[in-house]
Amino acid sequence: MKIFNIMKKNFRLLLRSRISALIVIFGPLVIILIVGLAFNSTGTAVINLGYYSPDMNNMTSSFISVLDKESYKLAEYESVESCKASLGSGKTHICVVFPYDFRIDNTKVNEIDFFVDNSKINFFQSVVDSIESDFNNKALELTTGMTQELLNKLNQTTEELFNKTSVIELLKQENIETKEDIDRVSDEIRSIDINFDYGTVGISDVEKSGDEASSLIDDLKDIAEDAIDEAYDLIDDVDDFAGGSNMSSSEIDELDDLLNSTAESLIELVSELNDTNQYSNSTGQLSSAISTLSSNLHALDTRLDAAARSMDVAAGKVLDLKKRVNASMEKILAVEMTFNAITTNIKNTQITNIQTIVSPIIKNVRPVVTTDSQLNFYFPYLIMLIIMFIGILLSSNLMIMEKTSRAYFRNFVTPTGDFSFILGAYLTTMTIMLIQLSIIITMFILFFSKGIVPNISMAILILFISTSIFTLIGMIIGNLLNSEETGTLTSISVGSILLFVSDLIFPLEKMPEYISYYANLINPFVVCSDLLRKAIVHNVSFYDIQQQLLVIGGLALALLLLVILSYKFIKRHFLLRYAGYLQRRDIKRQTRQQSAIKLLELMKSLPSSQHFITKDKKSLSNLKDLLNYIESLDKEDFQYYVDKEKNLFADWISHILSNEVLAVQLYKAKKKNKITKILSRAVKEFEKLEKLQAKKPTKHQLKYKIAK
Amino acid sequence: MSNDVIKVINVTKRFGKKTVLDDVNLDIMSGEIFGIIGMSGSGKTTLLNTIIGFLQPEGGDVMFKLEHLLSFSNDERQFRSVFSSENDVKKSFGFAAQTPSIYAKLTCFENMEYFGHLYNLSHDVRRTNIEILLKLMGIHDSKHVQAINLSGGMLKRLDIACALIHDPKILILDEPTADLDPLLRKQMWKLIKQINEKGTTIILSSHFLDELELLCDRVGILLNGHIIMAGTPDQIKCHFTNDQEIKLETTPGKYKEIIEKLNHTGKNLSISSMDVVDNKLVIYTSAPERSLHQVLHIVEEMDEILLDVTVEKPSLQEVLEKLKLEK
């Protein structure tokens, strides 16, 4: 097949051009090996740290001890200036200046200064990050201690508050009891009825009652005596009955006992009745007692009145006391509430864990990809870098090699379509890239990573499209340029531009928005490396990236179209050149230039008889004078020289200056502004030519230079 | 019945405002060697490029007879325009430019193999043609030598071999002997003749009019964009001049005296011009016998020793120079 034949020819040409073979074929392999070794690291570089402290106290020493580990190489300096100077000389990467009297104190603010050499763009940030991390850890340690102290005091306070709460309860209780007592006393006081009205006491009633009682007693006595007499009669009756009844002796005895006891009782009763006489006597005494009582009651009444008055006073005082007790209670409640609030607040503090207070947010940077080597992360970018530069360089060089080869012409003589040649060049580049990528990926797998590239089908698709894009870009460059040197320079420039407007060197986010936007959208390096990273590192599916794939697919097609168009354009250009057209154009340009030179020389040496004589007898010997004169003319004067039938200016230029080209242009222009425009352009060209002529060395000058 | 294989019909070609070919008409016959002569910038390369279809003329057309119909009669229907039958043209024509058009880093064999592929030749045909052509061109021993290591003549021959790889019926050579020394030029003429003997129609352009005179069956003179005449070299010479050329070489070679004496001879010798060229006295005269007789007489009188004398028609070079002067 023709295309394989073209590819075979291309391979032979590339391999037989030793420099191309070395640079293009082996170059990327060497690069990837070196870069791979460089990036295949799990650790960080040793940082040279210089420090200065005005007074090496304990705090400063504790900080320094944190840094005294493998990743730092420490050096103490005598002064800030010497420490900073060490940065410039490269002895240290970072200079740390501790403050005087470094201690944690309420009245003191401690500032630690870090001096870094930010001219080491890529390194200084990692240095700063590293040291910040270590210092932050130490600061965290201090913060933890202070926070622990605060927490302890808080806990202590909480405990004491809690303890005091029972006292308050006690106070409250006592207060309540006091209040109750007061209420009780108050009630009791109020309940004391010391209202005494002698008239209502009823002494007369008592007297009456006494008298009645006395008479009653007498009546009772009489009744009792009667009753006793009856009882004695009854006993006698019973005794008589018993004697006459058929009762047993025991029963009779029993009955006798009973009758006897009853008789004894009656005897006692009689004796008691006799005592009632005492009672009668007593009633008289009672009346006297009542009288005494009455007088006492009068006295009592008086005293009770006085007591009532005192009671009122006491009631008032009790009320006051109650108020004071209430007030005191309120205060106790208030204190209790405060204590409760404090205790509640303290208890409601949800965060009591010291670690949570000191570091409420713990940043866990969990890599999605669990691997130690940086190479895994840089790999997609490295691959794309290789593809970009080598793809562009190789394809552009291939096209230029073909264009500049003698055989280029013969290809057009053969019945082989343009597309076959384009496809041949494309496939040649793609094949070489495929071989290189296979070697690179194999090396990567064998030497730098044990894992096999996941999502290999997606990765292959992306690599294919990416390689195509950069190959096509290179082919366009190759079509447009004519030498390998300019092709190489242009390829590198294009690659560099695409590289700089990407994330690899500076974050896109730090660039102007429009650059960032378009870079993310259409910079093939950005889009392709992003896709590759997603496929290799994150193992995304096709659907997640289909939009981006469509973009780069569309870009590839657009580039293919451009390649075809540029190829056809260049072919036509080549054939014209081959046919001598372009040489003729160059000759024509040279001829024009030569005639312009002749005109220049002529104008310098024009005899006065051949000058242009104006109607006001001015003599013009060159175009510049002519132009100035025409510009000064008004419409009427201008028409004297130029109208529909004549053009004296053009005549002079044609017949005397013998410049037909300029004359023809002037003949065609009838208006003043057009004529002045044409002459102005001509004058500028002549002035330029004059300057060029002035710069050109003469033969003698050249010889002189060589002799020197 | 003529067996034309190419007809150039009223071809006009302009580059910008300059008309390079102006209403050119030409017929090339099958199996002939046709030479195009003209001064530098006369449009020879343009004409050849137009014939092969590289350049589209502003007016006219170039018709060629399809290969498989060459044996038929000269029927207009057998002709196709080169501009509408690009692939047929490429299959039927072979082209060798002034500068050898080959890959310097490929060997002779690889170059021919590559171009053979591009002509869709089968493997066997390709290999056969390569062997034949390498032998014909006399570069078989350098079969596996890279082109960059070949001499100028060998490069040229390789170039022509590549042009012939597909066995075209028409071969176009643009300045085939440019940059070659006289010996190589002779070898190239011989080669061209050999190719032509195999039936290939050859159209060539050259500055070396003497070689065109020797090689070509017919020549066409291109002047100011016109083919002012096409015919055999003799026809052209006779058309432009009846003079014959007498070349005389003597020693010590007092040619100026001889010329003076001839001018004052008083006889009508019909001499149109006399000049000393390359240490020889060249006399153009329409009466060569009388003039020769008179010259020899003067030579004898002056005791000059005659070294060489030739009488022939003026060369094409001389005709062209004369034309140039007239124009």
Side-chain angles (χ1 to χ4, degrees):
Chain A
M1 278 177 71
K2 279 186 194 177
I3 291 170
F4 289 130
N5 177 48
I6 294 167
M7 285 171 68
K8 196 166 73 174
K9 178 262 299 174
N10 287 338
F11 281 124
R12 278 188 180 134
L13 290 174
L14 277 171
L15 289 170
R16 287 175 188 176
S17 169
R18 278 181 228 130
I19 294 173
S20 297
L22 273 170
I23 293 170
V24 172
I25 295 170
F26 295 110
L29 301 177
V30 171
I31 292 168
I32 202 75
L33 186 67
I34 293 169
V35 173
L37 287 168
F39 279 99
N40 189 33
S41 64
T42 54
T44 53
V46 172
I47 297 170
N48 294 334
L49 190 147
Y51 65 89
Y52 166 71
S53 175
D55 60 338
M56 191 61 73
N57 62 15
N58 290 337
M59 186 61 77
T60 308
S61 301
S62 70
F63 267 83
I64 290 168
S65 64
V66 165
L67 300 170
D68 192 7
K69 53 186 183 182
E70 273 183 20
S71 54
Y72 294 104
K73 199 173 158 186
L74 301 176
E76 190 178 355
Y77 286 88
E78 298 293 319
S79 65
V80 177
E81 286 69 31
S82 60
C83 189
K84 279 157 75 174
S86 68
L87 282 169
S89 63
K91 285 183 189 166
T92 55
H93 298 120
I94 188 162
C95 173
V96 183
V97 176
F98 292 96
Y100 176 74
D101 190 23
F102 186 19
R103 58 187 166 83
I104 306 300
D105 190 279
N106 224 17
T107 57
K108 203 170 183 303
V109 174
N110 297 299
E111 283 184 8
I112 301 175
D113 291 328
F114 297 90
F115 292 98
V116 290
D117 181 5
N118 55 346
S119 65
K120 289 188 178 178
I121 300 168
N122 289 332
F123 186 54
F124 102 91
Q125 192 57 51
S126 64
V127 168
V128 169
D129 288 345
S130 173
I131 200 125
E132 247 183 355
S133 163
D134 289 319
F135 268 70
N136 282 345
N137 287 340
K138 180 65 184 170
L140 196 66
E141 206 181 289
L142 291 171
T143 309
T144 307
M146 288 188 284
T147 309
Q148 185 65 60
E149 207 181 308
L150 275 170
L151 274 177
N152 289 343
K153 288 213 160 102
L154 206 59
N155 286 336
Q156 207 177 344
T157 307
T158 310
E159 265 179 49
E160 284 175 10
L161 280 173
F162 185 74
N163 292 340
K164 292 297 179 246
T165 306
S166 59
V167 173
I168 288 172
E169 280 301 318
L170 206 62
L171 277 171
K172 259 174 64 180
Q173 197 58 40
E174 284 177 4
N175 206 326
I176 290 168
E177 285 171 4
T178 305
K179 197 174 153 195
E180 282 172 356
D181 288 344
I182 289 169
D183 284 337
R184 208 170 26 251
V185 165
S186 176
D187 289 340
E188 282 175 1
I189 288 173
R190 268 201 303 274
S191 67
I192 296 174
D193 186 7
I194 54 172
N195 287 328
F196 183 72
D197 184 4
Y198 182 81
T200 59
V201 169
I203 288 291
S204 58
D205 291 333
V206 171
E207 282 177 346
K208 205 195 275 181
S209 296
D211 292 335
E212 284 177 6
S214 180
S215 74
L216 278 173
I217 286 171
D218 289 336
D219 289 340
L220 275 171
K221 188 181 164 191
D222 294 335
I223 294 169
E225 285 176 349
D226 290 335
I228 288 169
D229 290 333
E230 287 180 14
Y232 275 123
D233 292 335
L234 185 63
I235 288 170
D236 290 335
D237 290 327
V238 170
D239 194 29
D240 292 333
F241 179 74
S245 68
N246 303 317
M247 284 172 68
S248 63
S249 60
S250 65
E251 285 174 354
I252 295 168
D253 289 332
E254 200 176 321
L255 183 64
D256 280 335
D257 287 334
L258 186 63
L259 289 173
N260 291 328
S261 72
T262 305
E264 280 171 12
S265 296
L266 285 173
I267 294 167
E268 279 173 18
L269 190 61
V270 168
S271 68
E272 279 177 12
L273 276 173
N274 294 327
D275 285 333
T276 56
N277 292 325
Q278 286 173 3
Y279 294 138
S280 290
N281 295 331
S282 294
T283 54
Q285 285 173 359
L286 180 65
S287 294
S288 66
I290 287 170
S291 299
T292 309
L293 180 64
S294 173
S295 61
N296 286 340
L297 283 172
H298 279 299
L300 182 63
D301 186 23
T302 311
R303 280 204 292 276
L304 282 174
D305 285 339
R309 283 192 295 278
S310 298
M311 204 172 73
D312 287 337
V313 168
K317 284 186 180 168
V318 163
L319 205 62
D320 285 342
L321 194 61
K322 190 174 170 187
K323 282 181 187 170
R324 278 166 59 192
V325 164
N326 281 341
S328 170
M329 186 64 170
E330 279 173 13
K331 285 176 188 165
I332 290 169
L333 285 173
V335 168
E336 187 192 31
M337 211 156 38
T338 306
F339 271 34
N340 284 342
I342 291 169
T343 312
T344 307
N345 272 343
I346 291 170
K347 281 184 182 167
N348 284 345
T349 305
Q350 290 171 0
I351 313 296
T352 54
N353 179 277
I354 186 166
Q355 193 57 46
T356 312
I357 294 168
V358 170
S359 301
I361 299 165
I362 296 174
K363 289 178 284 185
N364 285 324
V365 179
R366 297 185 194 281
V368 175
V369 180
T370 52
T371 175
D372 292 335
S373 173
Q374 296 176 51
L375 183 63
N376 290 66
F377 310 127
Y378 281 104
F379 182 70
Y381 297 99
L382 289 175
I383 282 291
M384 208 48 66
L385 205 63
I386 299 282
I387 290 172
M388 181 172 71
F389 277 106
I390 301 305
I392 295 177
L393 268 169
L394 181 59
S395 55
S396 66
N397 268 312
L398 205 56
M399 297 305 283
I400 292 173
M401 261 170 54
E402 187 64 34
K403 265 170 61 176
T404 54
S405 84
R406 288 176 169 184
Y408 188 54
F409 166 73
R410 187 170 289 292
N411 286 325
F412 298 140
V413 185
T414 62
T416 305
D418 294 340
F419 192 71
S420 298
F421 293 110
I422 293 168
L423 195 58
Y426 167 78
L427 288 175
T428 307
T429 310
M430 291 294 282
T431 307
I432 294 173
M433 294 302 299
L434 174 68
I435 296 167
Q436 288 183 339
L437 285 173
S438 306
I439 296 171
I440 288 166
I441 290 171
T442 308
M443 278 169 62
F444 171 74
I445 291 169
L446 286 175
F447 292 106
F448 303 120
S449 169
K450 287 181 186 172
I452 293 170
V453 175
N455 207 359
I456 194 130
S457 56
M458 190 62 61
I460 287 170
L461 175 65
I462 293 165
L463 286 171
F464 171 75
I465 299 176
S466 316
T467 313
S468 297
I469 287 173
F470 294 119
T471 300
L472 292 168
I473 291 173
M475 286 173 76
I476 294 170
I477 294 171
N479 279 342
L480 298 175
L481 301 173
N482 292 322
S483 76
E484 286 190 34
E485 292 81 18
T486 49
T488 303
L489 279 170
T490 308
S491 301
I492 292 171
S493 301
V494 167
S496 301
I497 290 167
L498 292 176
L499 178 62
F500 280 120
V501 189
S502 74
D503 252 344
L504 202 59
I505 298 187
F506 295 113
L508 278 174
E509 290 75 13
K510 286 192 176 178
M511 296 187 193
E513 204 181 305
Y514 64 93
I515 290 180
S516 171
Y517 174 74
Y518 285 112
N520 277 313
L521 194 63
I522 57 170
N523 180 346
F525 180 76
V526 172
V527 180
C528 294
S529 50
D530 187 51
L531 281 170
L532 193 63
R533 181 183 57 81
K534 284 175 181 171
I536 290 178
V537 177
H538 299 289
N539 201 10
V540 295
S541 71
F542 174 80
Y543 296 104
D544 294 329
I545 56 172
Q546 62 177 343
Q547 196 177 5
Q548 280 180 299
L549 281 173
L550 281 171
V551 167
I552 60 171
L555 184 63
L557 285 171
L559 287 169
L560 177 63
L561 196 62
L562 279 173
V563 165
I564 295 169
L565 289 172
S566 60
Y567 185 86
K568 288 196 180 296
F569 171 77
I570 293 306
K571 181 182 168 183
R572 184 175 174 273
H573 189 87
F574 172 81
L575 288 174
L576 283 174
R577 180 175 284 282
Y578 179 76
Y581 167 60
L582 293 173
Q583 284 139 349
R584 280 201 183 79
R585 201 175 59 182
D586 292 340
I587 290 166
K588 202 175 167 184
R589 201 182 299 132
Q590 282 171 12
T591 311
R592 238 184 309 160
Q593 205 175 36
Q594 280 164 2
S595 70
I597 292 169
K598 274 188 188 155
L599 178 57
L600 255 178
E601 286 168 2
L602 182 65
M603 283 195 295
K604 282 177 190 167
S605 58
L606 201 64
S608 51
S609 60
Q610 289 185 332
H611 288 190
F612 187 93
I613 309 296
T614 65
K615 70 171 186 175
D616 44 355
K617 310 293 176 199
K618 279 187 189 157
S619 173
L620 310 172
S621 65
N622 58 51
L623 289 178
K624 195 167 181 185
D625 291 343
L626 183 67
L627 172 64
N628 293 335
Y629 180 72
I630 294 171
E631 280 172 347
S632 67
L633 292 172
D634 59 22
K635 193 177 175 183
E636 216 177 280
D637 288 336
F638 180 76
Q639 279 173 352
Y640 172 82
Y641 298 101
V642 178
D643 61 24
K644 283 180 188 172
E645 287 166 4
K646 67 175 187 291
N647 188 330
L648 300 179
F649 301 128
D651 286 341
W652 181 68
I653 289 169
S654 171
H655 300 315
I656 303 298
L657 300 184
S658 306
N659 194 303
E660 291 301 326
V661 173
L662 187 58
V664 162
Q665 288 177 22
L666 290 179
Y667 278 127
K668 286 180 187 169
K670 298 287 177 196
K671 293 189 180 169
K672 179 184 161 186
N673 58 346
K674 277 189 183 169
I675 287 178
T676 51
K677 211 172 173 179
I678 292 165
L679 281 174
S680 169
R681 203 167 42 229
V683 163
K684 275 187 190 153
E685 280 180 26
F686 283 123
E687 279 172 357
K688 221 188 282 183
L689 201 56
E690 252 180 324
K691 281 181 190 165
L692 276 170
Q693 290 290 98
K695 277 184 189 169
K696 261 188 194 174
T698 61
K699 279 186 188 174
H700 295 294
Q701 282 175 328
L702 202 59
K703 276 185 189 166
Y704 178 70
K705 275 180 190 171
I706 292 165
K708 238 185 172 178
Chain B
M1 196 178 290
S2 70
N3 199 8
D4 292 338
V5 70
I6 293 175
K7 290 178 190 262
V8 178
I9 305 165
N10 301 330
V11 161
T12 300
K13 178 67 193 163
R14 291 188 199 95
F15 290 111
K17 287 181 184 172
K18 184 168 172 62
T19 303
V20 179
L21 298 175
D22 189 3
D23 202 25
V24 169
N25 286 281
L26 205 55
D27 293 331
I28 314 277
M29 290 189 289
S30 173
E32 71 169 347
I33 301 178
F34 188 91
I36 299 172
I37 57 173
M39 293 173 285
S40 293
S42 61
K44 298 191 294 297
T45 304
T46 306
L47 179 58
L48 290 176
N49 286 323
T50 308
I51 289 171
I52 202 168
F54 284 159
L55 298 174
Q56 187 92 17
E58 274 70 32
D61 204 352
V62 178
M63 311 295 284
F64 79 106
K65 205 172 201 180
L66 287 165
E67 191 180 303
H68 61 279
L69 300 168
L70 274 177
S71 55
F72 287 86
S73 64
N74 194 8
D75 189 348
E76 296 299 323
R77 286 178 296 177
Q78 309 307 327
F79 284 84
R80 296 283 183 273
S81 168
V82 298
F83 305 107
S84 60
S85 317
E86 202 180 313
N87 271 350
D88 289 326
V89 167
K90 286 175 178 175
K91 284 175 192 167
S92 305
F93 284 61
F95 195 100
Q98 187 172 344
T99 314
S101 189
I102 44 179
Y103 289 102
K105 290 283 184 180
L106 299 182
T107 63
C108 298
F109 179 83
E110 286 164 353
N111 267 293
M112 294 179 74
E113 171 90 354
Y114 169 71
F115 289 115
H117 258 295
L118 294 186
Y119 280 107
N120 294 321
L121 300 179
S122 66
H123 180 266
D124 292 336
V125 168
R126 213 165 52 236
R127 290 296 165 97
T128 309
N129 287 1
I130 288 171
E131 289 299 316
I132 293 169
L133 285 167
L134 284 174
K135 282 177 185 155
L136 180 66
M137 298 297 154
I139 52 173
H140 194 268
D141 294 339
S142 307
K143 185 175 172 183
H144 297 294
V145 175
Q146 285 187 18
I148 199 168
N149 296 322
L150 298 177
S151 66
M154 291 166 86
L155 271 177
K156 205 73 179 175
R157 279 180 275 166
L158 175 61
D159 189 39
I160 294 171
C162 290
L164 292 169
I165 188 66
H166 57 297
D167 194 22
K169 288 297 169 202
I170 304 161
L171 178 64
I172 297 178
L173 302 172
D174 191 2
E175 311 270 357
T177 57
D179 307 322
L180 297 181
D181 60 51
L183 190 63
L184 287 170
R185 279 172 59 203
K186 274 192 179 165
Q187 287 175 356
M188 188 58 66
W189 301 341
K190 195 176 162 192
L191 186 61
I192 291 169
K193 274 282 187 199
Q194 279 178 302
I195 295 167
N196 179 245
E197 278 161 16
K198 291 187 188 305
T200 308
T201 306
I202 299 176
I203 307 168
L204 55 91
S205 73
S206 179
H207 283 123
F208 299 105
L209 303 180
D210 52 345
E211 75 187 21
L212 288 178
E213 236 179 295
L214 289 168
L215 273 173
C216 300
D217 300 314
R218 292 194 309 135
V219 293
I221 299 177
L222 190 60
L223 193 65
N224 294 335
H226 298 279
I227 293 284
I228 55 172
M229 185 163 183
T232 63
D234 280 337
Q235 283 173 345
I236 288 172
K237 282 182 211 177
C238 289
H239 181 81
F240 284 105
T241 180
N242 291 321
D243 287 350
Q244 296 250 14
E245 184 186 74
I246 299 171
K247 270 190 188 155
L248 195 77
E249 192 180 357
T250 63
T251 188
K254 295 175 192 169
Y255 298 119
K256 281 188 180 166
E257 286 181 29
I258 296 169
I259 289 168
E260 219 176 289
K261 286 195 178 193
L262 273 171
N263 281 333
H264 290 107
T265 187
K267 292 178 185 171
N268 183 14
L269 299 173
S270 303
I271 291 173
S272 56
S273 66
M274 286 188 284
D275 206 353
V276 178
V277 177
D278 296 333
N279 208 29
K280 288 181 185 176
L281 176 62
V282 180
I283 301 167
Y284 292 97
T285 171
S286 54
E289 298 83 5
R290 273 207 307 269
S291 302
L292 185 60
H293 177 77
Q294 189 61 37
V295 160
L296 288 172
H297 179 69
I298 293 169
V299 165
E300 197 184 358
E301 272 183 1
M302 287 171 64
D303 293 324
E304 287 271 312
I305 299 165
L306 184 67
L307 296 174
D308 189 24
V309 60
T310 56
V311 180
E312 57 189 4
K313 273 278 184 194
S315 64
L316 278 176
Q317 176 82 36
E318 286 147 2
V319 167
L320 205 61
E321 278 170 19
K322 197 176 173 188
L323 274 170
K324 209 162 83 175
L325 281 168
E326 281 172 15
K327 291 293 172 183

